[in-house]
Every structure is written in structure tokens, then in C-alpha cells.
């Protein structure tokens, strides 16, 4: 099913996975997926390694989810290191499999820069255009957005301008970078609305189970760790159980606040683990708007 269509009629709960490197990792991922399938997520997504490094693994995991479960799947695709021919092949393959949802991304620029940035798509907007030009409405297209701005964006005006370009090119919905202070998300959505951006912007939620790992991620992607979160978790950095307990409690409060402010969905960065996400879901499920199955 196309996520853009689903979002028009129901609240979305979704989970993100990365393709594991080993057979054991894949077996563990499918145990996680089976556990999370019990709560009937709206969709799950599979990330794409920088520079196409997980091209086959992303495809194979997405295909297995599509064929072995009842869950709608979205494949991430980064365009930065691919030629247009390669992008065409990847998309045609997804179409042949029957996967209808793509998260269209640029990907991070490699540390040594781009060897040949002219051969494919330089920015995500070009990938969105490429998909629409070659596949029409066959794919529902999601794009990334950044409530605290992308690290390369000089300011928020720039951020919104280029986000709007992706929407005008044909994106149906967006998932945000992780954030820990909802004020950033609310301000971002308000500014988008003022600019006439009306697609659903789904907040990306990162349940914290390992604080030092999340601090590193946050630095890389420009997400602020608020002082209250530091005070909550820093004293327990050597205590994984207490970190998970407190991290889950924090995420529950964050999600409750987002739900009471009418978000279109919640997207959980699971890091391939089900425990924290399931605990958060169980705590907030009674507050999730009822799905309208009649439409
Ligand atoms: P873009 O939208 O192209 O933006 C990148 C930067 O370029 C921004 O600063 C933007 O303002 C600027 N820009 C855009 N267009 C122009 C233009 N025409 N001229 C000048 N500047 C411009 N990475 C992965 O490798 N694999 C994944 O699976 C993955 N999944 C992700 C999922 C989500 C929900 C999010 C939020 C991020 C994900 N990322 C993933 C990270 C993402 O690839 C990086 O943040 C990357 O650096 C930017 O990708 P983008 O699609 O946002 O790029």
C-alpha cells in the first residue's frame, strides 16, 4: 500500500530498521520484526548504506518483509553515489517486487568529497523528480526533513526553501531527523505551514538505550540534547538498565506531548531492537487516534 494514501486516512506508527551484515543479525532482525508486527505498524522502513554499500542487503530485507509479513514496507534510497542508470535499475527492481514506497534521500557526502557528482542526482530533490518522471505515481515518495536544520544548511530559511523544493517535486510525506525537544518540531511545522508546505511531517523518535551512542549520533546530525535529558541520563551512563528505563520514560513523555499536539504519526528509529519501542508503544497506545477504516 502507498504510505501517502494511508496517511490521508489514518494515524501512522512506523519502525525503521537497518540491514544487518550477518546471517545472525538478519535472523535477529526478523525476530524483532515478528515482535513488532503484533502491534500492526502502519509501515516499516529499511535504511540504505552510504554510497550504496547496502544496495543488495536493503533490497533483500525489504523484499523479505514485503513477501513474508503483512507489513507495508518502504525502502530508503540515497542517490549521491549512483548513476541515473543504477538508480533506474534499483527502482525498477522495487517496482517488479511490488514495493511501492521509497524514502528519497541524497545521503551524506563522503569525507573525501564526491568523485563525480554530476553523474547522478546531486540533491534529494533531483531523485524525487527522477522518480516522478520515470515512474509517475507508482511510488509513494517520502523525504527527510530537519527541525533543527541539516548541518550543511546555513540557516532555517535555506532549510525550508530546499525542503519545499522536494515537496513541489512530488514528495508525499516527510520523516524528520531525530530531536529531543519538541519545540523544534512545532516551530518547524509552523514555518512549513506558513510556506504552504502541507504534506504530513512525521516526527522521528529515537528511544535512548545507550546515551553515549546517541550523543555521537546527535553531534553528527545536529540534534540538540537538552539539559534535562543530560541530567536524566548522564549519571547512569554505565548502567544500561537504568538508561533504558529513563530513556523509555523520556520518549513516552515526548510522544504524549506530540500526540496531544496532533502529529500525523510517529516513526521510531528502532536500531533493530524491539524492547524499548514496544514499551513506549504500550504506554501511549490508548492516546493514539483511532484508525478510520471506513474510508
Ligand atoms: P537533501 O534534501 O538533498 O539536502 C541536503 C543538504 O543540501 C541540505 O542542507 C539542503 O538544504 C541542501 N540542498 C538541497 N537542495 C539544494 C540545492 N538545490 N542547492 C543547494 N543546496 C541544497 N542516510 C543514509 O545514508 N541512509 C539512509 O537510509 C538514511 N535515512 C534517513 C532517514 C531519515 C528520516 C533522515 C532524516 C535522514 C536519513 N539519512 C540517511 C541521512 C541523510 O542521508 C543525510 O542527512 C544527508 O546528508 C542529506 O540527505 P537529504 O535527503 O536530506 O538531502
Amino acid at each position: 500500500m502507498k504510505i501517502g494514501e494511508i496517511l490521508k486516512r489514518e494515524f501512522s506508527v512506523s519502525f525503521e530498521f537497518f540491514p544487518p551484515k550477518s546471517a545472525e543479525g538478519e535472523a535477529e532482525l526478523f525476530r524483532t520484526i515478528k515482535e513488532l508486527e503484533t502491534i500492526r505498524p502502519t509501515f516499516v522502513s529499511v535504511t540504505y548504506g552510504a554510497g550504496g554499500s547496502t544496495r543488495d542487503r536493503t533490497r533483500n530485507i525489504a523484499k523479505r518483509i514485503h513477501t513474508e509479513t503483512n507489513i507495508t514496507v518502504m525502502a530508503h534510497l540515497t542517490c549521491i553515489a549512483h548513476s541515473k542508470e543504477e538508480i533506474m535499475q534499483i527502482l525498477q527492481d522495487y517496482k517488479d517486487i511490488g514495493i511501492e514506497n521509497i524514502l528519497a534521500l541524497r545521503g551524506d557526502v563522503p569525507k573525501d568529497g564526491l568523485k563525480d557528482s554530476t553523474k547522478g542526482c546531486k540533491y534529494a530533490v533531483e531523485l524525487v523528480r527522477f522518480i516522478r518522471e520515470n515512474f509517475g505515481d507508482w511510488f509513494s515518495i517520502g523525504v527527510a526533513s530537519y527541525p533543527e536544520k541539516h548541518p550543511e544548511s546555513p540557516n532555517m530559511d535555506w532549510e525550508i526553501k530546499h525542503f519545499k523544493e522536494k515537496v513541489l517535486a512530488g514528495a508525499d510525506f516527510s520523516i524528520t531527523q531525530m530531536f529531543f525537544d519538541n519545540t523544534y518540531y512545532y516551530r518547524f511545522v509552523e514555518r512549513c505551514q506558513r510556506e504552504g508546505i502541507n504534506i504530513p511531517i512525521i516526527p522521528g523518535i529515537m528511544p535512548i538505550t545507550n546515551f553515549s551512542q546517541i550523543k555521537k549520533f546527535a553531534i553528527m546530525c545536529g540534534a540538540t540534547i537538552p539539559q534535562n535529558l543530560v541530567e536524566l541520563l548522564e549519571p547512569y551512563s554505565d548502567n544500561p538498565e537504568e538508561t533504558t528505563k529513563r530513556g523509555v520514560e523520556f520518549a513516552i513523555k515526548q510522544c504524549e506531548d506530540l500526540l496531544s499536539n496532533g502529529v500525523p504519526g510517529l516513526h521510531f528509529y528502532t536500531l533493530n531492537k524491539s524492547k524499548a519501542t514496544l514499551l513506549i508503544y504500550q504506554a501511549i497506545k490508548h492516546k493514539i487516534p483511532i484508525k478510520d477504516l471506513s474510508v
Side-chain angles (χ1 to χ4, degrees):
M1 285 174 83
K2 290 190 173 59
I3 294 167
E5 291 304 312
I6 302 174
L7 285 167
K8 286 181 188 158
R9 57 175 198 270
E10 65 183 52
F11 186 88
S12 168
V13 175
S14 54
F15 305 123
E16 181 169 310
F17 307 117
F18 62 86
K21 286 198 176 107
S22 64
E24 298 81 64
E26 186 168 328
E28 195 193 330
L29 172 62
F30 274 84
R31 277 195 294 278
T32 297
I33 292 173
K34 285 284 164 204
E35 277 158 16
L36 291 171
E37 193 179 11
T38 55
I39 62 170
R40 299 178 62 211
T42 310
F43 68 93
V44 299
S45 77
V46 186
T47 64
Y48 197 75
S53 57
T54 67
R55 176 174 170 169
D56 293 338
R57 279 188 278 135
T58 297
R59 175 224 186 250
N60 294 341
I61 298 289
K63 184 180 177 190
R64 271 195 71 187
I65 298 172
H66 180 69
T67 52
E68 294 176 24
T69 75
N70 290 316
I71 312 173
T72 295
V73 64
M74 172 168 76
H76 296 209
L77 176 58
T78 65
C79 59
I80 200 155
H82 285 309
S83 66
K84 292 237 167 103
E85 291 70 33
E86 286 166 337
I87 293 171
M88 191 71 192
Q89 280 166 9
I90 294 166
L91 292 166
Q92 187 60 48
D93 186 33
Y94 281 131
K95 185 177 176 188
D96 295 342
I97 293 169
I99 290 174
E100 296 175 287
N101 303 290
I102 299 288
L103 190 69
L105 299 150
R106 183 197 69 177
D108 285 327
V109 179
K111 285 198 181 66
D112 55 353
L114 276 183
K115 287 184 185 67
D116 180 6
S117 61
T118 54
K119 64 177 186 169
C121 300
K122 203 172 166 196
Y123 293 106
V125 62
E126 293 164 38
L127 177 58
V128 177
R129 271 191 212 119
F130 183 85
I131 300 174
R132 285 287 176 241
E133 277 164 18
N134 290 283
F135 294 89
D137 286 337
W138 206 89
F139 289 107
S140 181
I141 305 175
V143 288
S145 55
Y146 302 86
E148 298 185 65
K149 81 177 185 56
H150 185 277
E152 288 169 40
S153 296
N155 53 52
M156 218 53 205
D157 287 341
W158 175 284
E159 185 63 47
I160 305 257
K161 175 177 178 256
H162 291 298
F163 177 46
K164 188 171 180 177
E165 282 171 1
K166 296 195 276 193
V167 177
L168 292 175
D172 298 309
F173 62 97
S174 175
I175 300 175
T176 76
Q177 185 56 276
M178 65 176 184
F179 57 90
F180 300 99
D181 178 347
N182 290 350
T183 319
Y184 291 110
Y185 172 84
Y186 299 137
R187 268 194 224 136
F188 178 70
V189 171
E190 242 179 70
R191 285 192 69 166
C192 288
Q193 283 166 351
R194 279 207 301 275
E195 292 299 323
I197 299 169
N198 292 317
I199 59 166
I201 300 173
I202 303 173
I205 306 297
M206 176 66 85
I208 301 178
T209 55
N210 178 336
F211 194 40
S212 43
Q213 178 194 40
I214 299 303
K215 280 193 288 190
K216 278 187 211 139
F217 285 172
I219 289 168
M220 283 190 296
C221 70
T224 305
I225 307 260
Q227 190 54 29
N228 62 338
L229 189 53
V230 175
E231 282 163 19
L232 192 71
L233 294 179
E234 197 67 62
Y236 300 94
S237 44
D238 295 331
N239 183 339
E241 270 174 33
E242 191 62 26
T243 299
T244 301
K245 184 172 164 275
R246 288 169 172 248
V248 164
E249 278 166 13
F250 183 89
I252 290 169
K253 286 201 188 104
Q254 185 183 13
C255 291
E256 283 174 343
D257 184 68
L258 289 164
L259 283 165
S260 65
N261 280 282
V263 289
L266 295 167
H267 182 76
F268 292 93
Y269 295 109
T270 68
L271 303 178
N272 290 6
K273 307 265 187 255
S274 61
K275 187 181 162 196
T277 304
L278 277 175
L279 286 169
I280 298 162
Y281 178 78
Q282 294 305 339
I284 60 166
K285 65 178 181 195
H286 58 288
K287 296 195 172 157
I288 288 179
I290 307 273
K291 295 178 180 182
D292 182 0
L293 299 173
S294 63
V295 187

